[in-house]
Amino acid sequence: MAWLVGFLSLMIVIWVAFFCKIIFRATSISRAAILDDGNSGKTPQKKNIMLVIAHPDDESMFFSPTINYLTSNACDLHILCFSTGNADGMGSIRNDELHRACAVLKVPLQQLKILDHPNLQDGFGQLWSHDLLTEIIEEEVTNHNIHTIISFDNYGVSGHCNHRDVHRGVLKFLQTNSGRNIKAWELVSLNIFRKYCGAVDIWLSILSAKKHPSKVIIINEQPWKSFKAMAQHLSQWVWFRKLFVSFSSYTYANTLNRINP
């Protein structure tokens, strides 16, 4: 019996070591891919990266692994939020909540911009002009010398029309500014099983990335920070969102795909 316990203990140690190795390798790949500015062999430049979202709480619910990774690697991360989330008349409250969440996520408040444009209001029935989104993105990219953009993919994780419009705005910006050599990455929307399998999706994401070289995986080394950041959105911190943050794979890892417009 003792030999069986010893054998199982050895297997657990090997499994943990193997798991840590995979995580380290995945994170290293992500670092090389996302933070590379094509400046190899030259003096390193400051990495100016902009996360483009639709509503306050998008950053905590979906992008926290990416945010934690970038802030821990001394990037100048800017967040552009296209609305105050005023669908229920709580825009000013949600504006303040996003400021508090960014403080938890270590994003400088002067690098957060929240819009309250009359033509960019939160809501499932609200269609946003891609031309207007492109114009605003171009202005922010120029003002802050942004070289990398991160945003939603075409489905937008939840299928929300505002998320999808943001993606199309980013895509149109890239198409009309192809000569500026700006990289862009989209957060991959997952199927219903992977979306709610929590930390287990780390393994599934890594396996998927092996088959698709254009994808990179960012592991969240501080998932508790994601909970704390989302908890700052008190107006949204209801029971089903607490469950979402607990079981969502987006709390534990992000799969990013390079956008090639």
Side-chain angles (χ1 to χ4, degrees):
M1 190 65 179
W3 69 268
L4 181 58
V5 173
F7 176 77
L8 291 176
S9 299
L10 179 61
M11 290 298 100
I12 291 173
V13 170
I14 292 174
W15 184 88
V16 170
F18 181 64
F19 180 69
C20 292
K21 182 179 180 180
I22 288 179
I23 289 180
F24 176 78
R25 182 174 182 274
T27 306
S28 298
I29 291 172
S30 300
R31 181 182 297 115
I34 295 176
L35 299 188
D36 176 38
D37 57 4
N39 209 34
S40 180
K42 301 179 183 179
T43 303
Q45 297 180 349
K46 191 74 172 178
K47 306 298 188 300
N48 297 320
I49 299 175
M50 184 166 70
L51 173 65
V52 183
I53 57 177
H55 316 110
D57 78 17
D58 287 347
E59 83 298 332
S60 300
M61 289 185 70
F62 308 123
F63 291 95
S64 59
T66 298
I67 294 173
N68 287 338
Y69 173 74
L70 294 174
T71 56
S72 66
N73 279 278
C75 295
D76 263 349
L77 177 62
H78 297 256
I79 296 181
L80 172 61
C81 183
F82 274 113
S83 81
T84 61
N86 195 42
D88 297 320
M90 295 190 293
S92 60
I93 294 173
R94 297 191 66 185
N95 187 312
D96 293 340
E97 290 171 348
L98 179 51
H99 280 83
R100 290 197 292 272
C102 283
V104 171
L105 294 167
K106 307 300 183 185
V107 177
L109 297 185
Q110 68 271 21
Q111 292 173 196
L112 167 65
K113 183 167 186 175
I114 309 172
L115 301 181
D116 189 15
H117 194 286
N119 296 327
L120 298 173
Q121 292 298 305
D122 173 26
F124 282 100
Q126 300 289 334
L127 299 179
W128 293 355
S129 165
H130 302 161
D131 289 335
L132 176 58
L133 294 171
T134 298
E135 179 184 330
I136 295 170
I137 292 169
E138 183 171 2
E139 181 180 350
E140 292 301 302
V141 165
T142 300
N143 289 344
H144 302 294
N145 191 28
I146 301 297
H147 77 82
T148 300
I149 296 173
I150 299 172
S151 192
F152 293 104
D153 69 0
N154 188 50
Y155 185 70
V157 180
S158 63
H160 197 297
C161 59
N162 298 161
H163 297 179
R164 302 178 76 166
D165 282 336
V166 167
H167 166 81
R168 290 165 187 150
V170 170
L171 190 61
K172 187 166 187 176
F173 164 77
L174 295 172
Q175 292 169 340
T176 56
N177 291 270
S178 57
R180 298 180 68 168
N181 194 32
I182 294 171
K183 296 192 302 180
W185 298 82
E186 59 187 8
L187 179 64
V188 174
S189 297
L190 304 173
N191 62 46
I192 193 71
F193 169 75
R194 288 188 57 190
K195 187 175 181 179
Y196 294 109
C197 68
V200 173
D201 192 66
I202 292 174
W203 292 96
L204 300 176
S205 297
I206 291 169
L207 291 173
S208 175
K210 288 180 179 294
K211 300 177 182 178
H212 302 91
S214 63
K215 295 180 180 178
V216 296
I217 312 303
I218 298 182
I219 311 299
N220 193 355
E221 298 178 355
Q222 299 174 298
W224 58 88
K225 189 185 288 187
S226 303
F227 285 85
K228 186 176 179 181
M230 188 59 202
Q232 305 309 306
H233 296 278
L234 284 174
S235 67
Q236 309 301 304
W237 198 226
V238 292
W239 67 269
F240 57 87
R241 287 199 177 90
K242 292 177 182 179
L243 287 177
F244 179 90
V245 176
S246 299
F247 293 100
S248 169
S249 59
Y250 293 99
T251 297
Y252 304 97
N254 282 163
T255 298
L256 299 180
N257 186 53
R258 179 75 181 269
I259 301 177
N260 292 308

